Amino acid sequence: MIRLATDVGGTFTDLVGYDDRTGELFTAKSLTTVDDQSVGVLAAIAMSERRDGLRARDVTFFAHGGTTVINAITERKGVRTALVTTAGFRDVLEIGRGNRPDLYNLQFHSPEPFVPRHLRFEVRERVAANGEVLMPIELDDLRPIIRHCRDQQVEAVAVLFLHSYANPEHEIICADILADALPEVTVCASHEVSRQWREYERSNTVVLNAYVQPIIRHYFDRLEEALTDRDLTCPYYAMQSNGGISTFDQASRSPLTLVESGPAGGIAGAVRIGVALGETEVLSLDVGGTTAKCSLIHDTRPTLNAEYRLEHTRIQPGHTVQVPVVDIVEIGSGGGSIAWIDERRSLRVGPQSAGSTPGPACYGRGGTTPTLSDAILTVGIFDPKNFAGGTMALDKARAAQAIMTVAEPFGMSVEDAAMAIIEIAHANMINALKLVTVQRGHDPRDAAFVISGGAGPALAARLGRDLSVKATVVPPHPGIFSAWGMLAAEPRADFRGTWFCPLDDAAIGELGRRFSHLEGEAVAYFAKGRDAAIQFTYRVEARYRGQEHGVFATFRRGGDAANFADRFHAAHEKAYSFRLPDSAIEVTTLHLEAVLNGPVIALPKVPRAGLSLDAARTGTRQVYFGAEHGWVACPVFDRSRLPADERFEGPAIIEEATATTLVLEDQVMEMTETGILVIREGRPTAR
């Protein structure tokens, strides 16, 4: 029985299959097909069938993650969407919030709303914050709205009424009428997607969900049909942004939960690696072809972002949405990131990427601009003849020619310019890694550093050294690790609801009752009985009275108000560096995390027969370590032949089909019995 996963990235589409009976692993990597991503998925499956003997009929589980949702949003290629909202609140979507990402940046501008004003309609109705109906819905207001939607050829309608998180009655009535009158139009009501307060954020959430819903439904239908034609008829799952998986049908109802689908797979994999190593604190970095994505796993659980912002930059605040997303910091520093000289004559790397077409210059597909991959090849880390397991030859001369375009203006050699590109990308990644650790109140020295992606292991050892992490870890199959991680993810759902109440023992009792109701929703979501193996985690957002925003703290059944207050004070101090023990506390939001326990990918032990360092060594390669050290001869090892529990010192290169790992001088590398590479400093680092 084979469990199969595919991950569509900006440059490559990755595939990982695992046979539960034999432990056999299937892998493939194909170029992403931008116009129709399902084509690249099928190409990866076909490649694995030809090369590895993958048997589609034996596949019993299929997980898929990709960039369909985020691409539709960032490229503004969603469907024509209308918004129906409470009278007087038509312009909430455009007014937004007054806060700026950079207070003194005079180039600041508000983001363009995804629904133009002529497609934002008002309906007379009003519900109070406590759910009381103050004004019944005026159904006659819907008649001209229906007519306008037909005339404007609207394909999706988002419905959002004030305080519907407390009482969705009016939204349900309106959505039902619109669905009956406009049968070809997708209708999405806000309470189906978010039951949290804050009208602007909830407006963004329901609008963007409606904006991409027809697209993701069409994509999943097309993909499911194509998979069925290849005799791959099994349950289909989508990787969600919260680190769990859901069925295609569930994901189609709430497609915005797929906005960080691919990166979340890598984080689910990092959790699995951390468990295998006995590490509860894990810092994850995935360096793909287009971007580098990092996240912190705390107490063996991915950290969820309380406010996820799409298209957030220095000059605009982006679009805040209320969907559970793993806390990811993403920067434009991937293997395909382009090196360029700005107007101040400074060398920059990214965020522009060469993508898969034409790709880095060394791919020989027509690219002429220098990229991070070209730089890594030029300094000798990548083997031009054995890249991607020998399936793809790299052109070192083309890489050098491209890098010369930035070397000549600075009077540098090609090698030094390549090192400069690597150093700048390295600095960008260090800054991103500190955003999810130091600036979140966590010390990276307490974490194991799991790094993946095609370019990640080449940079791993230096990044880990500069962060002084406990250990730098390169997981199995790092170049396709997001797909591998999807096989480590379990079905998961998050339920959030706003409820305002002063914290006291009576509130603790009511919280317990409300969580019991959410548990019932989780059981229904998974279509399982009450005795199903569902793991629940209870979290409550609270704040000091007078504050605007709060922090989440763990809620424990059977506790009292004083116990929860202690946990809240500690969480607040960690987030903001202070606590106010004498201030009154208010509850604002409940959050139930529900995980359906199920099988995940195993980490089989490395066979010991016939494996040794001598057998694994394939030769020596010169690597450039900068002007101070020059070219250094580094032994090269084949990872598949490395024995478990064997230690050796750097500098060294470890090659495999999907990535190349560089071990630095004064570092010690060891492979665990389950095939995980662990790099530690040979000499203790001062704390």
Side-chain angles (χ1 to χ4, degrees):
M1 301 300 177
I2 298 173
R3 297 163 56 80
L4 191 68
T6 57
D7 172 44
V8 180
T11 305
F12 289 104
T13 295
D14 302 331
L15 175 144
V16 171
Y18 178 75
D19 193 321
D20 290 317
R21 299 164 301 182
T22 65
E24 186 179 4
L25 203 70
F26 306 89
T27 63
K29 203 175 187 74
S30 65
L31 290 171
T32 292
T33 48
V34 178
D35 294 335
D36 184 354
Q37 295 180 358
S38 64
V39 174
V41 172
L42 295 174
I45 293 173
M47 183 184 300
S48 184
E49 288 175 331
R50 290 193 308 269
R51 191 182 63 193
D52 303 328
L54 173 69
R55 302 168 298 278
R57 291 184 179 181
D58 291 342
V59 174
T60 58
F61 172 93
F62 176 82
H64 178 64
T67 57
T68 306
V69 171
I70 191 67
N71 286 353
I73 293 173
T74 56
E75 296 172 10
R76 300 255 170 173
K77 292 183 178 179
V79 301
R80 191 171 179 81
T81 304
L83 172 65
V84 177
T85 189
T86 303
F89 290 85
R90 177 185 185 186
D91 295 318
V92 164
L93 200 63
E94 194 151 7
I95 294 170
R97 298 287 179 191
N99 51 316
R100 297 185 179 190
D102 186 351
L103 184 61
Y104 300 106
N105 191 333
L106 300 180
Q107 294 180 307
F108 164 84
H109 61 86
S110 297
E112 191 72 23
F114 282 80
V115 179
R117 196 169 194 272
H118 73 276
L119 291 180
R120 302 199 294 264
F121 307 108
E122 297 182 342
V123 173
R124 287 170 289 173
E125 65 83 41
R126 183 58 65 89
V127 173
N130 63 0
E132 179 186 357
V133 176
L134 302 178
M135 179 190 297
I137 183 170
E138 186 60 60
L139 299 180
D140 287 341
D141 290 351
L142 294 175
R143 293 177 181 175
I145 293 173
I146 292 169
R147 186 171 61 252
H148 282 303
C149 286
R150 285 199 189 105
D151 293 343
Q152 294 292 324
Q153 297 181 326
V154 165
E155 298 174 73
V157 178
V159 181
L160 180 135
F161 290 148
L162 198 66
H163 303 308
S164 60
Y165 59 86
N167 182 356
E169 177 186 346
H170 289 176
E171 278 194 358
I172 294 171
I173 294 171
C174 178
D176 287 345
I177 292 173
L178 291 173
D180 288 340
L182 303 167
E184 302 300 321
V185 173
T186 297
V187 179
C188 181
S190 75
H191 72 275
E192 298 172 334
V193 185
S194 171
R195 286 176 288 177
Q196 296 173 249
W197 64 316
R198 303 188 187 280
E199 297 312 303
Y200 169 65
E201 289 78 5
R202 204 154 53 90
S203 298
N204 269 336
T205 303
V206 66
V207 162
L208 288 172
N209 197 77
Y211 184 71
V212 298
Q213 197 166 24
I215 290 175
I216 202 69
R217 278 180 176 164
H218 177 66
Y219 173 68
F220 279 159
D221 288 345
R222 189 171 63 245
L223 178 59
E224 192 169 342
E225 182 180 352
L227 293 172
T228 303
D229 289 342
R230 296 191 73 90
D231 291 330
L232 205 153
T233 55
C234 64
Y236 305 122
Y237 291 89
M239 188 70 209
Q240 293 183 290
S241 304
N242 62 4
I245 55 175
S246 66
T247 66
F248 275 15
D249 288 341
Q250 290 167 337
S252 295
R253 289 193 290 271
S254 298
L256 204 56
T257 60
L258 310 179
V259 68
E260 290 287 0
S261 174
I267 294 165
V271 171
R272 179 73 179 89
I273 296 297
V275 170
L277 295 174
E279 297 286 351
T280 59
E281 306 295 306
V282 174
L283 181 58
S284 168
L285 176 66
D286 178 7
V287 185
T290 306
T291 60
K293 299 161 281 284
C294 55
S295 185
L296 179 71
I297 296 155
H298 176 59
D299 196 20
T300 70
R301 293 171 53 250
T303 305
L304 291 187
N305 197 337
E307 285 192 348
Y308 178 75
R309 288 178 290 180
L310 284 158
E311 299 184 338
H312 172 67
T313 67
R314 285 187 64 252
I315 61 173
Q316 71 166 353
H319 305 269
T320 306
V321 293
Q322 294 176 330
V323 292
V325 178
V326 172
D327 187 14
I328 297 172
V329 171
E330 187 169 355
I331 58 171
S333 285
S337 293
I338 296 172
W340 54 287
I341 300 173
D342 66 15
E343 64 276 3
R344 297 184 181 90
R345 290 186 53 78
S346 296
L347 183 62
R348 305 277 295 276
V349 178
Q352 299 87 358
S353 173
S356 59
T357 305
C362 60
Y363 283 11
R365 295 168 55 90
T368 57
T369 53
T371 67
L372 179 58
S373 289
D374 294 312
I376 295 173
L377 173 66
T378 298
V379 300
I381 299 174
F382 287 162
D383 182 354
K385 297 179 181 178
N386 193 34
F387 186 73
T391 62
M392 188 175 184
L394 300 182
D395 192 325
K396 199 168 184 177
R398 289 180 185 271
Q401 186 178 2
I403 291 174
M404 186 58 71
T405 62
V406 295
E408 286 183 343
F410 296 108
M412 303 171 71
S413 67
V414 170
E415 294 84 359
D416 286 331
M419 281 300 299
I421 292 170
I422 294 171
E423 289 288 340
I424 292 169
H426 173 91
N428 292 339
M429 293 175 196
I430 288 287
N431 289 337
L433 289 162
K434 288 182 177 180
L435 282 175
V436 297
T437 52
V438 177
Q439 293 200 18
R440 304 283 201 273
H442 299 275
D443 191 337
R445 294 175 295 182
D446 297 329
F449 180 37
V450 176
I451 186 163
S452 58
L459 311 171
R462 169 75 185 282
L463 290 167
R465 172 174 285 179
D466 286 358
L467 289 168
S468 299
V469 295
K470 288 175 66 176
T472 299
V473 179
V474 181
H477 315 287
I480 51 176
F481 190 62
S482 288
W484 188 93
M486 291 175 194
L487 298 181
E490 297 174 297
R492 169 176 171 155
D494 289 78
F495 301 87
R496 288 180 175 178
T498 291
W499 180 59
F500 297 102
C501 184
L503 179 66
D504 53 28
D505 286 335
I508 294 294
E510 179 61 22
L511 283 169
R513 287 186 287 273
R514 288 176 178 261
F515 273 121
S516 293
H517 178 73
L518 293 178
E519 286 178 5
E521 292 189 27
V523 171
Y525 176 86
F526 293 125
K528 301 290 183 181
R530 279 278 182 180
D531 57 346
I534 302 176
Q535 179 183 346
F536 296 114
T537 302
Y538 313 94
R539 301 172 70 233
V540 172
E541 185 184 52
R543 63 186 181 182
Y544 293 122
R545 182 172 295 165
Q547 284 184 322
E548 168 67 6
H549 295 277
V551 295
F552 277 98
T554 302
F555 176 81
R556 293 174 184 161
R557 297 287 186 92
D560 56 23
N563 296 142
F564 178 77
D566 289 341
R567 289 191 295 276
F568 166 75
H569 290 313
H572 192 280
E573 185 173 23
K574 185 159 194 154
Y576 298 112
S577 75
F578 72 93
R579 63 171 69 196
L580 302 173
D582 298 326
S583 295
I585 299 173
E586 295 177 330
V587 172
T588 61
T589 303
L590 291 75
H591 180 191
L592 176 70
E593 300 175 7
V595 178
L596 179 64
N597 295 330
V600 296
I601 190 169
L603 284 164
K605 291 185 178 182
V606 176
R608 296 183 179 273
L611 300 180
S612 67
L613 281 182
D614 289 339
R617 183 161 179 173
T618 59
T620 302
R621 188 152 71 245
Q622 296 287 326
V623 177
Y624 187 69
F625 285 93
E628 183 178 351
H629 300 284
W631 292 91
V632 177
C634 297
V636 180
F637 297 93
D638 181 346
R639 180 172 181 171
S640 65
R641 299 179 186 176
L642 283 175
D645 301 327
E646 186 79 40
R647 295 161 56 92
F648 62 87
E649 296 182 357
I653 293 172
I654 300 140
E655 292 184 331
E656 57 188 298
T658 64
T660 300
T661 301
L662 176 67
V663 183
L664 302 178
E665 187 178 2
D666 295 327
Q667 288 182 333
V668 177
M669 201 290 301
E670 179 180 2
M671 191 166 77
T672 70
E673 64 177 7
T674 54
I676 302 170
L677 298 183
V678 181
I679 303 170
R680 291 186 172 90
E681 295 299 322
R683 293 191 292 266
T685 302
R687 287 184 68 113

